[in-house]
Amino acid sequence: IDALAALSSERIETNLDYYSDRLYDVSRPHRGIVTSAANLRAVLQGSKKVIVRKGGGVSNSGGSSGDNNTVSAASATAVRTIPQYHGPAQEALATSCKTLELEVNCTEPTVETELDMTVACLALSNALNAAVVLLDGTTARAGDGDAAAAAATNANAAQDDDDDDDADYPMSTVTDLASLSSSFAGAVANLITALQSEARTNHTVLETALQEAEKERQVKEAAKARRAVEMAAKNAGGNKDEFEGMSDAQKAKILKKRADKEAKAAAKKAAKAARAGGGSAAAAEGGVSLYGAGSSQVLTILKSCNFDVTSPQTLASIEAVVAGLLSGGVQRK
């Protein structure tokens, strides 16, 4: 889920320093938060859209898409603070799952119940809270804060039928396992829908920006080629031999230097193509590189699976990308 959220960072062109080790590893070293920030740094490494800017301000202008000239304060905040809610929420979900798994495996059925209701309800309440937090963050990043509020309200209503002051909070009771289960299932379903919507939005915006940048690159390359042709024609028109008066050894040395320079330029172009973003065919052929190494791969994976974020194969592929970047020491700090 960190890798999916990183695409929103690319889309709104936030400041990479928001995820720095200085803010998390040093100042707020909660394990989940530190892990989330490290994942974001790895995925966004090398991006030209998400860069470190002095002052820590989010760039709300200069986007490559006409729809991205202004970013709402809610979206900017949700992107800036991704580790602060992704980390605790993912830890809460993992802990809740372990607790419920243990409770199910160690319970001895009785006439009254098969589970310890206190343990089960507390664990499921924590899981519900975590799911709602992730849902709220996902919809806020996509710029749909109203949808987030509505989804959270629906989850709360399903859990608590009382008209009390606590109805706005996900955890209002820990005694009704059936209601908690229903609320949790609804929150997870809404979260999946929100993640898929965010992924599609990000892919559309980022792919459009990449295509526009590729067009600009092609125009520049064409102009450069025209100038080269004009220069060659000019030199040819003067009937001037650039090697006049040189020995064969000198001519060979100059030609070798030119060949080495061309080979170096070709290698640099190939390396740039390997880092190119958005899964674009033009980029794969040596075009522009806009996005982080992880972002580019995640975009390709999402497009190939038609944005099915629940597919085990999709999740495994994205996890492999992040693990590979981290194992290589990419932007750990």
Side-chain angles (χ1 to χ4, degrees), residues 7-53:
L7 300 182
S8 287
S9 298
E10 298 271 19
R11 174 171 54 83
I12 77 167
E13 303 178 28
T14 193
N15 192 335
L16 186 59
D17 192 49
Y18 287 143
Y19 314 133
S20 70
D21 65 312
R22 174 179 57 82
L23 294 179
Y24 294 107
D25 298 53
V26 176
S27 302
R28 186 169 287 164
H30 300 288
R31 179 178 297 178
I33 292 179
V34 169
T35 299
S36 179
N39 290 341
L40 289 166
R41 293 196 300 270
V43 173
L44 296 171
Q45 172 67 11
S47 173
K48 293 181 180 178
K49 306 294 281 184
V50 179
I51 59 177
V52 175
R53 282 182 285 271

Side-chain angles (χ1 to χ4, degrees), residues 41 43 94 113 137 164 193 243 272 303 308:
R41 293 196 300 270
V43 173
T113 180
D164 57 22
T193 300
F243 299 115
K272 184 178 181 180
K303 186 175 181 179
D308 182 5

Side-chain angles (χ1 to χ4, degrees), residues 7-8 16 63 68 115 213 239 249 278 287 331:
L7 300 182
S8 287
L16 186 59
N68 195 33
L115 296 173
N239 294 319
Q331 195 70 9

